[in-house]
Amino acid sequence: MRSRQIGLHAALTVGGLLMLFPFVWMLFTSAKGVRQMINDPTAWLPDPWTWQNYPDALSTMPFGLAYWNSFYIAALNVVLTLLTSAMAAYAFARIRFRGSGVLFVLFLATQMVPSQVTIVPLYLMLARFGWIDSHLSLIVPTIANPFAVFLLRQFIRAVPIELEEAARIDGAGRWRCFWSIVLPNIRPGLGALGIIVFLASWNSFLFPLIFLNTPELATVPLLLSQFAQQHGATDYGQILAASAIAVVPTLIAFLIGQRKIINSMAASGLGGK
């Protein structure tokens, strides 16, 4: 048994190092100069270290504005998704009505439809609303999240219903039970879901590419793509420096939330056999 555990940990360590390799290579290459990448492209360490790539990348493109756009869009997506998903999950978990089971299955079935399939009708709908080339096109369509509803429903079902029954006896209504009893008891699930939604919103590229036209509205992934198109054949150091700048928020969110996500999945029953 001990040999199996050692072999498992060794395999996981090797896998982790392999996954970490591209990130480390990006950091090292972002500190290389153009001359070194032309003369010795396979060199592992920069010689010399060229940290000027970072301020050059920041001054070439408006990364500050793109950071702000991505951050506030992601923040609004997190808040609105948690609010609407929690209310929908509570309705599916606690309120019994005719056809609720079928409706929940149909709602989950929409998760199987790739977003690329619905992008044409979504574009036409947003155009009618006048939301094309607006950040509303990146916020409103993401509020209805089937996975978020499913995840929070699992957490709500784990909350003892006796707590709500006692509150109902004391005169509390549905809203009071939801805000004062259910939400405080599913905070781990809300935290994990918030991190997942934030990462998905920050890394989104397809929707900003299609729905945004004004450069001042660009998000970080979209600006990074434009930066790579302008410097792709001239300076890989600046490209990877810009990539390192873009990945910082997702790395921080992952480091903060990885344990919370794993524990929340296990608590909700999604990590069970």
Side-chain angles (χ1 to χ4, degrees), residues 55 72-73 116 134 142 144 157-158 181 191 201 203 209 238 268 271:
Y72 98 82
I73 290 173
Q116 294 84 351
S134 167
T142 62
R157 293 182 64 182
I181 297 176
S201 177
N203 293 324
L209 177 64
Q238 284 195 29
S268 67

Side-chain angles (χ1 to χ4, degrees), residues 27-34 37 46 48-60 227 231 235-242 245:
L27 292 179
F28 283 164
T29 307
S30 68
K32 293 180 181 179
V34 178
M37 284 186 286
W49 292 77
T50 310
W51 298 112
Q52 187 62 32
N53 289 329
Y54 286 87
D56 287 347
L58 289 173
S59 61
T60 302
F227 185 88
H231 297 78
D235 196 341
Y236 289 102
Q238 284 195 29
I239 293 176
L240 292 176
I245 295 171

Side-chain angles (χ1 to χ4, degrees), residues 18-29 243-244 247-248 251:
L18 290 175
M19 295 180 65
L20 189 62
F21 171 77
F23 180 73
V24 176
W25 181 84
M26 176 186 69
L27 292 179
F28 283 164
T29 307
S243 301
V247 82
V248 168
L251 182 62

Side-chain angles (χ1 to χ4, degrees), residues 26-206:
M26 176 186 69
L27 292 179
F28 283 164
T29 307
S30 68
K32 293 180 181 179
V34 178
R35 179 176 298 178
Q36 182 185 7
M37 284 186 286
I38 294 176
N39 297 333
D40 191 7
T42 60
W44 176 252
L45 294 176
D47 184 24
W49 292 77
T50 310
W51 298 112
Q52 187 62 32
N53 289 329
Y54 286 87
D56 287 347
L58 289 173
S59 61
T60 302
M61 301 288 283
F63 274 100
L65 181 58
Y67 251 81
W68 165 248
N69 291 337
S70 289
F71 180 79
Y72 98 82
I73 290 173
L76 285 177
N77 279 337
V78 169
V79 172
L80 295 176
T81 300
L82 291 183
L83 179 62
T84 58
S85 299
M87 291 190 293
Y90 180 75
F92 283 123
R94 290 290 194 254
I95 302 175
R96 300 300 179 187
F97 55 91
R98 181 175 297 179
S100 60
V102 176
L103 182 61
F104 182 68
V105 171
L106 292 176
F107 184 68
L108 285 184
T110 61
Q111 186 74 17
M112 302 173 62
V113 181
S115 59
Q116 294 84 351
V117 175
T118 62
I119 202 162
V120 172
L122 180 61
Y123 186 95
L124 296 176
M125 184 184 302
L126 295 176
R128 286 181 176 272
F129 293 156
W131 290 352
I132 298 298
D133 201 23
S134 167
H135 287 157
L136 288 174
S137 62
L138 306 181
I139 298 173
V140 177
T142 62
I143 294 176
N145 191 324
F147 170 76
V149 174
F150 170 73
L151 179 64
L152 295 183
R153 177 177 176 268
Q154 296 297 107
F155 277 94
I156 293 174
R157 293 182 64 182
V159 177
I161 197 172
E162 291 79 9
L163 296 176
E164 295 180 58
E165 292 175 345
R168 296 292 293 273
I169 293 175
D170 291 338
R174 285 285 188 188
W175 277 105
R176 183 64 181 274
C177 291
F178 174 72
W179 287 107
S180 301
I181 297 176
V182 173
L183 286 185
N185 280 280
I186 63 171
R187 280 181 295 181
L190 293 173
L193 180 61
I195 294 171
I196 294 173
V197 173
F198 179 87
L199 292 176
S201 177
W202 184 275
N203 293 324
S204 177
F205 174 72
L206 179 62

Side-chain angles (χ1 to χ4, degrees), residues 3-17:
S3 60
R4 287 187 58 187
Q5 291 180 349
I6 293 175
L8 178 61
H9 283 82
L12 292 176
T13 301
V14 172
L17 292 176

